[in-house]
Amino acid sequence: HSVVTLEEPPRHLIFIFATTEAQKVLPTILSRTQRYDFRRIQLEEITRKLRTIVDTEHITIEDDALIIIAKKDDGSMRDAQSLLDQVIAFCGMTVETSRLREALNLIDLDFYFEVTEAIAARDPKRAFELSGEIISRGYDVEEFFSGLLEHFRNILTVLITNTTKLLEVSKAHQERYLNHANQFAEADLLRLVRLGQTAFERLKATHDPR
């Protein structure tokens, strides 16, 4: 009976076979299916949907906070809406970005700017102070490095393209990136990315993340 259902399903019934390894699907299955490649939803689309939801529910929330939620769930609309529900449950009907970061224990983008400003100023004393703050604030060190590498790439993107259109950050931070990129040369940023990636990989093998 199940074979008949699969071979001749009712018109209203649709089977979706989802896989991340399409190349391993057998030709006999491919010949009986239609292929659709699903991609991660763009940040702007998720943010726009979240804005519609909060406006409908009369929830006050900053655009920065919506961007944080959308980025946190990496292209999943369902996960972003689920996280939004959790944030509202924690913060109430008025969600401040600082409160959101506290609830999710996230690192403020301004902190990354402080790190690169210390690098640009060749100020190792400030760099050591910031390193201590990572630990004292209870930030996850791997998450810090992941965010720092994205920050490096954002600066590099602005430097090369001379525009902020490709950045997944708020308009206020886009302006800051535009001004900040002038402090670095392309070769400097490429070197920083390589150093950051090496340090990120070595974190997993060390007993002293700091």
Side-chain angles (χ1 to χ4, degrees), residues 141-154:
V141 180
E142 288 192 18
E143 183 177 324
F144 164 75
F145 261 100
S146 177
L148 184 62
L149 284 168
E150 181 182 357
H151 181 62
F152 287 154
R153 287 191 291 269
N154 283 345

Side-chain angles (χ1 to χ4, degrees), residues 62-113:
E62 299 169 350
D63 287 339
D64 275 2
L66 293 180
I67 291 174
I68 290 169
I69 294 170
K71 288 183 69 175
K72 185 71 175 174
D73 290 296
D74 195 29
S76 170
M77 185 73 77
R78 181 189 62 186
D79 290 348
Q81 291 180 16
S82 176
L83 182 58
L84 176 63
D85 286 339
Q86 295 174 42
V87 168
I88 294 169
F90 186 87
C91 299
M93 297 296 285
T94 299
V95 182
E96 297 179 357
T97 304
S98 57
R99 181 69 169 148
L100 169 63
R101 289 189 179 278
E102 179 185 338
L104 301 179
N105 195 31
L106 298 177
I107 303 174
D108 196 318
L109 187 54
D110 291 337
F111 188 82
Y112 293 120
F113 277 108

Side-chain angles (χ1 to χ4, degrees), residues 166-194:
L166 299 177
L167 303 189
E168 295 182 335
V169 297
S170 66
K171 290 183 179 179
H173 282 122
Q174 286 179 7
E175 290 297 322
R176 191 168 182 183
Y177 271 115
L178 203 56
N179 297 326
H180 197 61
N182 295 327
Q183 300 181 44
F184 296 90
E186 183 178 335
D188 292 332
L189 289 168
L190 290 171
R191 180 169 176 269
L192 285 172
V193 170
R194 286 196 298 270

Side-chain angles (χ1 to χ4, degrees), residues 3-18:
V3 174
V4 173
T5 301
L6 288 173
E7 289 292 341
E8 298 179 9
R11 289 184 177 274
H12 67 274
L13 185 63
I14 298 175
F15 290 98
I16 298 179
F17 170 49

Side-chain angles (χ1 to χ4, degrees), residues 11-53:
R11 289 184 177 274
H12 67 274
L13 185 63
I14 298 175
F15 290 98
I16 298 179
F17 170 49
T19 180
T20 56
E21 298 180 298
Q23 71 280 3
K24 294 185 179 181
V25 179
L26 298 175
T28 52
I29 296 177
L30 287 175
S31 65
R32 292 169 169 79
T33 60
Q34 296 179 11
R35 176 169 174 167
Y36 297 92
D37 292 317
F38 294 97
R39 297 176 175 82
R40 65 190 295 268
I41 304 173
Q42 294 299 308
L43 181 74
E44 289 183 2
E45 187 175 347
I46 295 178
T47 306
R48 187 164 52 248
K49 178 63 176 179
L50 295 180
R51 172 54 66 190
T52 300
I53 292 172

